[in-house]
Amino acid sequence: MVPEGWVKTKLGGLGKIKSGATPLRSEGSRYFAESGYPWVKTMDLNNGEIYFTRECITETALEETSCSLFPEGTVLVAMYGGFNQIGRTGILTRLAAINQAISAIQLDKNKAHPNYVLAFLNGHVNKWKRFAASSRKDPNITRDDVLRFPISLPPLPEQKKIAAILFTWDEAISANEDLLANSRLRKKALMQQLLTGKRRLPGFEREWLSTRLGDECSLVTKGTTPSSMGMGFTEKGVSFLKVESLGANGEILAKQTAFISHETHESLKRSQLYEADLLISIAGALGRTAIVPLRVLPANTNQALAIVRLSPNSSIDLGFLYHSIRSDRIQKHFSEISSQGAQANLSLQQISNIQVWAPEIKEQKAIAELLSVADEETHALEQRISNLKLQKKALMQQLLTGKKRVKVESVTA
């Protein structure tokens, strides 16, 4: 049911819809240049305002090809590139050209506000999947699909107010994403300094020593997949960790954790995990790392994860080792030594042979604590961004359906 004062229509009734073109690559600098007119491709679409593009085209390209310029405020929609690309949007902030994979919607400003239309499309991106040609290897939508895409419109002043409200959330998300990017850069610089000895903590002067990881461990092994032994998974029971269960910040992701029965857990002795085991992915996405916390136990893992258990008398601190494995030096080492078969993989021997450079144990603990604080800051920002996006999504569901109406007295025409 349409809210009072709203109308249901289609994108085709709100303005002109055209697609772009790609100039001949063979013309090189005659058609493409570092500066010139922005040329928007699907990967430039960010579901928001577009300020720059990866490539620009020249005046000559505009004169000699079917490429044309679209004005500021034009709303863009990706028409193909796979299900992950279909429906991506953007809005131009300056004159720009587009390629043939994008539809440009030049709106009649007396009918629809560009930022409202952008928000509506972002809130209904899954609808494009219904228009996609599922019989094709690379599903796509057509210009006709864009023309007949349904949209609900409140009066123009209300559109502007809704767009302004959602823009404040976009600004908050963008500001926190900038903070997150800076936080990650600081953490990376800190790791490069502290894990190489380039920067020493006050009060520590002893020389760093190199040790072989296997010599510091009581166990270096890997798990077993239940199905390979004729046993299956269950809906609940004992946690079974996979590569996907290890998050970017070293956390164990509950939603990516499978389960096996207690009987299966008991039968798979080699793959049983203990608190403070270090997990390292050795197949697929190499080098993901996590420390097993008490809360996930009992638990097992499969053969794609190495289980590293430090000896009680090890000269290596677990937290320091965790951050060292995640360092650029060791991650690059993994990439260099991995065998390239059907998928990249590492052997247990290669894990055991990792050389760990470390200072005295007290300095290791101090370094690990500093890097963990940096991780906590990054995780807090990621969580804040996730919460803001969820809040915005809930607000969009209210504002873009008319379930929640906005006051427009203060809105200028």
Side-chain angles (χ1 to χ4, degrees), residues 297-372:
L297 299 178
N300 292 64
T301 187
N302 66 9
Q303 66 272 21
L305 292 176
I307 305 168
V308 175
R309 192 169 299 155
L310 289 174
S311 303
N313 59 349
S314 173
S315 64
I316 301 297
D317 173 70
L318 177 62
F320 182 86
L321 176 61
Y322 163 74
H323 289 292
S324 294
I325 295 298
R326 299 176 71 199
S327 69
D328 286 347
R329 179 181 71 84
I330 292 184
Q331 291 292 317
K332 182 180 179 182
H333 177 64
F334 285 160
S335 178
E336 290 172 348
I337 66 176
S338 63
S339 0
Q340 300 294 327
Q343 63 174 204
N345 63 84
L346 299 167
S347 70
L348 293 178
Q349 188 62 49
Q350 288 169 328
I351 295 295
S352 294
N353 287 339
I354 292 172
Q355 294 296 310
V356 180
W357 284 89
E360 62 179 290
I361 196 75
K362 288 184 178 179
E363 188 174 2
Q364 290 182 48
K365 290 180 181 295
I367 289 172
E369 185 176 350
L370 278 175
L371 295 177
S372 293

Side-chain angles (χ1 to χ4, degrees), residues 103 126 170 199 206 235:
S103 272
N126 288 333
D170 288 333
R199 172 181 168 185
R206 289 187 187 177
E235 291 186 5

